[in-house]
Each structure stands twice: as C-alpha cells, then as structure tokens.
C-alpha cells in the first residue's frame, strides 16, 4: 500500500471487489492467544527478558506482569503499514486489569523510535484529556495514549491521560489516518465508548512495522494487565470500494469486448 492508499490488485482481485462488503478489512495481526502451551506463544513473540508474556491457555489470553522496561515484540508475521485517509489502519486490543494503582501495560505500534504509538495503563502522564476533547498539560496515573510523531507534538513525552484505572476488561482502539489518530476506550466492553481522543497533525506520520506489548517503566507498587484480542488491520473507506467496483465493471466490459 502506498501513500495515496491505493491497493495493488490483480485482475481477479479487482473483479472480486464488486462483491466485497463495505466493512471488508485486510487483517495483518489477529492475536487471540489461543495457543496450546507457552512454547507455542513463544514462537510468535520475541519476548522481553524481564516482563515476559505468560500464557493462560484455559482463558486464551496472556499476562504481562508490568515489572520491566523491555517490550514483547510480535514475530508471527511481518508488515509495513502506511496509514492514509482512504485506507486507515485500525489497531485494537483488550486489557484486563485488577485496578491496582500504578499498573503499567501498553500495546503499541511503532517503527524504531519514530513514529511511536502506545495505549493502555501508565503511571505518569504529561497531559490530560479535557471534556471538550482538547488536552492540557497535567500529571496523573491511569489509562490513556502516547503519540510521538503521530498527530501533534504535545508537552513532555506525548502521554495523554484519558481516564482513571479500572477493574475488569476494557477495549482500546486506535484508528490512524495519514496525519491523525483517534483513540477510543470501551470500559467493560459493552459497546459504549467511554473515552474518545483525536489528535491531528500537519504532516504524514510514516509507517508502522512493529507491534509491541510493553511495560514502559517498572511499576511502583503496581501490576501489569492481561492482554487479549490484539488486531491490526487496514480498513478502506467505502469510497475506495466504490472505485474498486467501478474498476471491476470496466475490467469486465473490456474482457467482453476482447472475447
């Protein structure tokens, strides 16, 4: 996929776009942690030396203890994703928390040090989300997002607190356009987005090639979180499919003329 969001499709795929549903997405990671044992999980992750993802095979998820600074890096597939407004990148993950203050676990996308994106639980934010959707410099611990070379350049290390620590499950979702990202959090995973934050910049953010589960700093009297249902996908806008459908019709017409 290039900067304009065009999809490189063969003739057969182009014709098939005529019947592709509007919600069609190209999935690059669908990690549900449904492994038979720890060794099977290890085969798909390059694990940290001090904060290893530990499989709970009965529940189909993994625990990040939140006690170290090194990341666990996805190795089950390779990807390089360059978000565009025509073909946004959507990134989702579920974090199950015991509510302990100062817990630290984030899921993130990045390429080296730049761009860098992570969302989840953290113990020290630089900015806070206001009720009107703006941000202000401020401190605190809880849940939120970090954006470096993604959207605007915020004070500190680009951490934005969106809410307080919670107990139970929450779904974190980020949707990236060419120069913006919208992050949402659904506490309880009940279909209601409790927090939404959009950050928009003026320049393209570049590509993502690395998926991480991370404890950005060692927790202070805190814990980690259970991680589940990590998904990375490209979700073309409906107008993209309309163009593909038109291309498919033209392709079919040309085949009839040359038959």
């Amino acid at each position: 996929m290039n900067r304009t969001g065009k999809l490189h499709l063969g003739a057969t795929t182009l014709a098939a776009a005529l019947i592709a549903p509007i919600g069609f997405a190209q999935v690059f990671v669908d990690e549900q942690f449904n492994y038979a044992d720890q060794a099977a999980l290890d085969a798909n992750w390059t694990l940290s030396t001090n904060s290893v993802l530990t499989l709970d095979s009965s529940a189909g998820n993994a625990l990040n203890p939140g006690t170290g600074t090194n990341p666990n890096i996805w190795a089950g597939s390779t990807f390089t994703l360059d978000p565009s407004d025509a073909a946004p990148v959507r990134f989702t993950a579920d974090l199950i928390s015991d509510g302990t203050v100062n817990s630290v676990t984030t899921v993130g996308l990045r390429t080296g040090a730049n761009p860098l994106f992570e969302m989840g639980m953290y113990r020290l934010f630089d900015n806070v989300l206001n009720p009107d959707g703006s941000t202000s410099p401020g401190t605190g611990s809880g849940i939120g997002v970090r954006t470096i070379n993604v959207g605007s350049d915020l004070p500190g290390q680009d951490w934005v607190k969106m809410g307080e620590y919670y107990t139970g499950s929450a779904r974190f979702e980020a949707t990236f356009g060419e120069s913006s990202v919208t992050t949402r959090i659904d506490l309880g995973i009940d279909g209601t987005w409790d927090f939404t934050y959009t950050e928009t910049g003026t320049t393209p953010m570049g590509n993502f090639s690395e998926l991480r589960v991370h404890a950005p700093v060692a927790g202070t009297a805190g814990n980690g979180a259970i991680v589940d249902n990590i998904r990375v996908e490209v979700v073309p806008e409906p107008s993209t499919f309309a163009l593909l459908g038109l291309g498919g019709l033209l392709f079919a017409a040309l085949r009839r003329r040359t038959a």
Side-chain angles (χ1 to χ4, degrees), residues 29-35 41 45 53-64 72 74 91-97 105-108 119-121 166 168-173 186 189 211-214 224-232:
V29 178
D30 185 13
E31 173 60 285
Q32 300 179 38
F33 295 102
N34 292 329
Y35 298 109
L41 182 153
W45 290 86
L53 284 173
T54 303
L55 178 69
D56 182 345
S57 56
S58 63
N61 50 40
L63 171 65
N64 176 45
N72 302 285
W74 171 253
F91 175 37
T92 57
D94 297 342
L95 295 180
I96 305 168
S97 169
T105 290
T106 65
V107 291
M119 56 189 179
M121 305 184 304
Y166 61 91
S169 300
R171 177 155 296 162
F172 290 73
E173 177 195 272
D186 175 1
I189 315 183
L211 165 65
R212 294 181 166 204
V213 175
H214 198 193
I226 294 171
V227 185
D228 206 358
N229 300 320
I230 302 175
R231 190 175 178 92
V232 180

Side-chain angles (χ1 to χ4, degrees), residues 133-239:
S134 64
T135 62
S136 299
T139 60
S141 59
I143 57 176
V145 63
R146 185 187 190 193
T147 55
I148 294 180
N149 199 41
V150 179
S152 304
D153 184 18
L154 302 175
Q157 296 186 10
D158 276 353
W159 285 100
V160 176
K161 178 181 175 179
M162 297 173 64
E164 304 296 336
Y165 284 107
Y166 61 91
T167 300
S169 300
R171 177 155 296 162
F172 290 73
E173 177 195 272
T175 302
F176 302 88
E178 183 167 309
S179 56
S180 67
V181 58
T182 295
T183 305
R184 305 192 295 181
I185 304 174
D186 175 1
L187 300 177
I189 315 183
D190 58 6
T192 299
W193 296 107
D194 299 276
F195 305 101
T196 300
Y197 168 55
T198 297
E199 188 175 326
T200 302
T202 58
T203 59
M205 67 184 69
N207 65 66
F208 295 112
S209 60
E210 188 175 277
L211 165 65
R212 294 181 166 204
V213 175
H214 198 193
V217 294
T220 303
N223 297 318
I226 294 171
V227 185
D228 206 358
N229 300 320
I230 302 175
R231 190 175 178 92
V232 180
E233 56 193 334
V234 174
V235 187
E237 293 295 314
S239 58

Side-chain angles (χ1 to χ4, degrees), residues 2 14 19 30 36-37 43 75 111 121 124 163 185 221 226 240 249:
N2 63 13
L14 186 59
I19 58 173
D30 185 13
D37 51 34
T111 296
M121 305 184 304
L124 185 61
I185 304 174
I226 294 171
T240 302
L249 287 172

Side-chain angles (χ1 to χ4, degrees), residues 98-110:
D98 65 6
T100 302
V101 174
N102 289 325
S103 294
V104 286
T105 290
T106 65
V107 291
L109 291 176
R110 66 192 296 175

